[in-house]
Amino acid sequence: MKEKVGFSNERFAGKTAIVTGAARGIGESIADRFVSEGARVLLVDLNPDVEATARRLGQTALIKSVTDADAGARIVATAMEALGKIDILVNNAGIGGSKRLQDTDDELIDRFLQTNLASLLRITRSVLPRLTRPGGRIINISSIFGLTGYPGTTAYAVAKAGVAQFTRQLAGELGPEGILVNAIAPGVIATPMTTGRQQNALYQRLMIEGTPLERVGQPEDIAGPVAFLASEDAAFITGTVLPVDGGILAARHGKI
């Protein structure tokens, strides 16, 4: 983890959060940031490594696939037992490795839609009755691939576009209850899920060299904006899908 600067370790004192997909990568960094700022966190992941991550942070882990039929109920029950309340829900869990539509079978379509989209709806639906009102926060992790086209990622991109629309839809429904719903749309972030793609020459040229900041993002680059959206500094922000992408949606680098 990068050295943490520029924030108070008391900003989330007394707050609780659920972070899915928290064993490593972006989810681990989000959980780390919340804990560093005083929150108590339930880390959820199918990967058993989530237990080691939670031990490192002094928090609670739940080994669970977000696609399981009872995932929402288990997450809520564990959170209420360990944390006593739920202030923040971060829907981060997801999978990569999509293909062109003509190379995508029904099983792969179902995997992407269930893991990257439908699970968010079901888990959020389960959490809502327990989410703090007013002041609750829901932060979804979408993708820049859900905001613009990129060939060869059809099922993934469609699911992530659904996450963006889910965010806007839910913001309208929950705003009167004092619950804010926003999303982050990461660009290329250095995680185990993107390692293979980063070695692809075309991907390197288009998505990394073509980024104005000319670098791959780090998980901490996502954790900071998530913490902002969960904080009181974002009290008048809801329904926003914030790209955190090194500028690639704004402008392709001129040397391409």
Side-chain angles (χ1 to χ4, degrees):
M1 297 289 178
K2 293 191 302 188
E3 181 183 357
K4 301 171 183 67
V5 295
F7 59 87
S8 166
N9 61 7
E10 298 298 325
R11 179 159 64 161
F12 294 114
K15 298 292 186 180
T16 65
I18 298 168
V19 181
T20 67
R24 54 186 182 174
I26 290 173
E28 178 184 8
S29 186
I30 292 169
D32 185 272
R33 182 66 181 257
F34 279 140
V35 172
S36 295
E37 298 198 42
R40 291 178 296 133
V41 180
L42 172 64
L43 292 79
V44 181
D45 206 296
L46 175 62
N47 187 337
D49 288 349
V50 71
E51 290 190 328
T53 302
R55 281 197 302 272
R56 177 179 67 79
L57 296 175
Q59 302 299 312
T60 302
L62 173 63
I63 301 173
K64 191 67 177 170
S65 171
V66 293
T67 62
D68 288 348
D70 66 340
R74 284 286 307 282
I75 289 169
V76 169
T78 305
M80 294 307 296
E81 180 179 356
L83 308 176
K85 61 173 183 167
I86 303 170
D87 297 313
I88 303 161
L89 169 64
V90 180
N91 287 308
N92 168 72
I95 58 172
S98 190
K99 302 177 181 178
R100 300 185 309 164
L101 182 61
Q102 53 265 48
D103 300 323
T104 305
D105 59 21
D106 287 351
E107 181 181 0
L108 193 59
I109 289 172
D110 289 343
R111 280 185 62 214
F112 275 101
L113 293 180
Q114 289 299 318
T115 306
N116 290 1
L117 179 57
S119 70
L120 275 71
L121 276 69
R122 287 194 288 263
I123 288 171
T124 303
R125 183 181 61 191
S126 295
V127 168
L128 277 178
R130 296 287 192 171
L131 196 61
T132 299
R133 290 169 171 78
R137 302 285 196 271
I138 298 170
I139 301 161
N140 302 314
I141 303 300
S142 179
S143 169
I144 61 168
F145 288 1
L147 303 180
T148 187
Y150 184 83
T153 64
T154 303
Y156 175 85
V158 168
K160 289 299 188 178
V163 172
Q165 183 58 25
F166 172 55
T167 298
R168 291 184 284 261
Q169 181 72 24
L170 207 58
E173 294 178 4
L174 298 179
E177 299 179 44
I179 295 172
L180 308 184
V181 187
N182 292 289
I184 299 291
V188 181
I189 307 298
T191 69
M193 192 172 77
T194 65
T195 299
R197 282 190 174 273
Q198 290 180 49
Q199 309 309 313
N200 179 280
L202 178 61
Y203 190 87
Q204 172 81 27
R205 181 169 179 266
L206 293 178
M207 300 302 299
I208 301 174
E209 294 176 12
T211 298
L213 294 187
E214 293 188 304
R215 71 172 176 88
V216 174
Q218 299 300 314
E220 294 85 351
D221 292 321
I222 305 301
V226 168
F228 164 70
L229 290 174
S231 76
E232 287 305 310
D233 290 333
F236 200 56
I237 301 174
T238 196
T240 293
V241 181
L242 175 65
V244 182
D245 63 354
I248 197 167
L249 286 186
R252 300 284 175 157
H253 194 281
K255 71 180 180 181
I256 284 186

